[in-house]
Amino acid sequence: MGNLCGDPKGDPVKFIRQAILAISLGGIIAAVLRTRGKSPDAPSQGGWREVTPQR
Amino acid sequence: MTASGDFNIGIVGSGVVGSRIALHLQSLGIRPRTASFQHASELFDCSVVVLAHGAPHATLVSAFIAQGVSVVSASDNLQDVMSILDAHDRAVARGVAVITGAACSPGMTGLLVHHVKRAFESIDEVHVAVHGTGGPACARQHHDSLAGVSIGWHDGEWLQRPAGSGRELCWFPDPIGARDCYRYGSPEPLLLQRAEITLQRITARVSATRRDRLTARLPMLAPPHPEGGIGGLRVEVRGVRNGNRHVEIVGVAERLASVAGAVASNAALAILNGTVPPGVHNLGQENLPNDTILDGVLATGTTLHQFVGN
């Protein structure tokens, strides 16, 4: 079985490839969470208006 | 209403908040007496005293209760507010009323939650965010509150989290806009939970910069400004309306010292008019005249905003 951590001394190209793969996977997961991870009842658009309390 | 020219209300502290309280009371025809913290005993003959100096207030509150003087405290220090709440039995025994956390946050927040909840069948979440500071004492409290521990109410349990964590982008009324806000050491969740026992989740956050968070555990590197600029308050209430989940968001954009002064002065008026029962209370509780106090605050020129969106 190969070294999963990638030994830089043994195979630097393999190590760099695995690092790039890990960073890419992290980026994809973060992008999915950013676009799909919204609370359903959080206001997403609108603005502030002045109000007078009604009794 | 109190007759013009009497000295039934005293103010401890003559900083930014103290001077705003005096201005509000004078505009209503009341002449308050002001004393420094060192000479607070000069106010033992007043009916109501507003504590507007920097925390701690608990020792002075106990002294005034012992003298039979009602108290309004503008302290926003967690430990200080907890100590004041412990004086409830003594206040009842002496027949005096104490309102703690009568400032902007806490204080105005309790009034707003009480006002907004009429739009719901039931409410279960309140999330508060505040931006800016009042005077120098408030700025020091802001600095210190980012270094300790924050509390939050989550599904019936008190959670402790490091202050300065939990970043959330919060939108305040114009001209403030969006600010990054973080957990901080505030008595807000404690007081709101006392006011609305049905709440399941309460959080309080304050806006802060990277420098604020980085230097929170150090002494203040530069003396604070005499008064902060325009600040903001944002109160998000969640609950059930017509059987569906519903959210209401209200806020104010104003100098926080002005809001705190308006809240504290109107709380003192409520005590003076005999509408607050003996004991230690906080704004938003059912047995206080919250609507009257909120009307008084808005009459000082503070404008209430509501977030309208979907």
Side-chain angles (χ1 to χ4, degrees):
Chain A
M1 185 182 282
N3 186 356
L4 290 177
C5 298
D7 183 0
K9 287 178 184 172
D11 189 352
V13 175
K14 186 179 178 186
F15 173 74
I16 292 169
R17 196 179 293 152
Q18 284 179 338
I20 291 171
L21 181 67
I23 291 168
S24 304
L25 276 175
I28 291 167
I29 291 168
V32 169
L33 288 176
R34 281 184 74 119
T35 53
R36 298 178 63 91
K38 245 177 210 176
S39 173
D41 53 358
S44 54
Q45 60 181 8
W48 292 92
R49 69 168 186 193
E50 289 186 15
V51 289
T52 306
Q54 303 293 321
R55 303 285 181 231
Chain B
M1 180 63 72
T2 308
S4 174
D6 61 25
F7 294 96
N8 277 330
I9 299 184
I11 303 170
V12 178
S14 54
V16 181
V17 174
S19 56
R20 297 285 157 80
I21 294 169
L23 277 175
H24 290 313
L25 292 173
Q26 283 164 3
S27 69
L28 297 170
I30 296 169
R31 294 169 57 199
R33 228 165 54 198
T34 303
S36 64
F37 173 72
Q38 290 81 5
H39 299 97
S41 58
E42 293 173 3
L43 303 176
F44 279 166
D45 57 340
C46 290
S47 300
V48 185
V49 166
V50 185
L51 305 184
H53 59 288
H57 289 184
T59 309
L60 260 190
V61 169
S62 295
F64 280 114
I65 290 174
Q67 295 294 323
V69 180
S70 293
V71 183
V72 173
S73 165
S75 174
D76 59 353
N77 180 285
L78 175 59
Q79 296 299 328
D80 196 28
V81 168
M82 289 173 73
S83 300
I84 294 171
L85 291 173
D86 287 342
H88 177 76
D89 291 342
R90 276 177 281 147
V92 171
R94 289 290 296 169
V96 300
V98 177
I99 297 180
T100 184
C104 184
S105 174
M108 186 67 174
T109 47
L111 297 175
L112 291 179
V113 170
H114 184 269
H115 171 68
V116 166
K117 78 171 186 179
R118 72 190 61 201
F120 294 84
E121 291 160 16
S122 65
I123 61 173
D124 47 37
E125 288 187 47
V126 173
H127 305 285
V128 173
V130 64
H131 165 72
T133 57
C138 185
R140 288 188 194 94
Q141 176 65 30
H142 175 275
H143 176 83
D144 295 340
S145 67
L146 282 167
V149 174
S150 74
I151 59 168
W153 183 246
H154 188 93
D155 292 341
E157 289 182 4
W158 288 110
L159 297 182
Q160 293 194 349
R161 293 283 185 269
S165 64
R167 181 171 67 180
E168 190 173 303
L169 187 67
C170 296
W171 289 85
F172 293 89
D174 294 332
I176 299 165
R179 302 282 171 164
D180 276 331
C181 295
Y182 305 85
R183 298 188 188 102
Y184 72 123
S186 166
E188 191 74 79
L190 179 70
L191 297 179
L192 287 176
Q193 200 272 335
R194 276 170 52 93
E196 298 292 340
I197 56 169
T198 60
L199 292 175
Q200 293 298 306
R201 294 185 183 189
I202 310 170
T203 61
R205 283 178 165 79
V206 67
S207 71
T209 62
R210 287 191 182 91
R211 189 182 66 178
D212 291 336
R213 296 167 62 216
L214 189 67
T215 62
R217 285 163 182 82
L218 304 172
M220 286 190 86
L221 301 178
H225 296 293
E227 183 175 2
I230 297 289
L233 182 64
R234 181 186 191 277
V235 178
E236 180 175 337
V237 182
R238 297 181 178 213
V240 176
R241 181 163 80 174
N242 299 328
N244 297 317
R245 296 293 295 167
H246 183 67
V247 182
E248 289 278 346
I249 304 171
V250 292
V252 295
E254 180 59 84
R255 288 184 185 274
L256 297 192
S258 296
V259 178
V263 171
S265 56
N266 282 283
L269 276 178
I271 293 179
L272 198 62
N273 292 333
T275 54
V276 180
V280 179
H281 311 279
N282 56 277
L283 296 171
Q285 287 184 308
E286 285 296 337
N287 55 355
L288 296 191
N290 297 295
D291 292 338
T292 307
I293 296 172
L294 181 60
D295 287 344
V297 172
L298 298 180
T300 64
T302 300
T303 307
L304 189 60
H305 294 80
Q306 180 186 22
F307 185 88
V308 181
N310 52 36

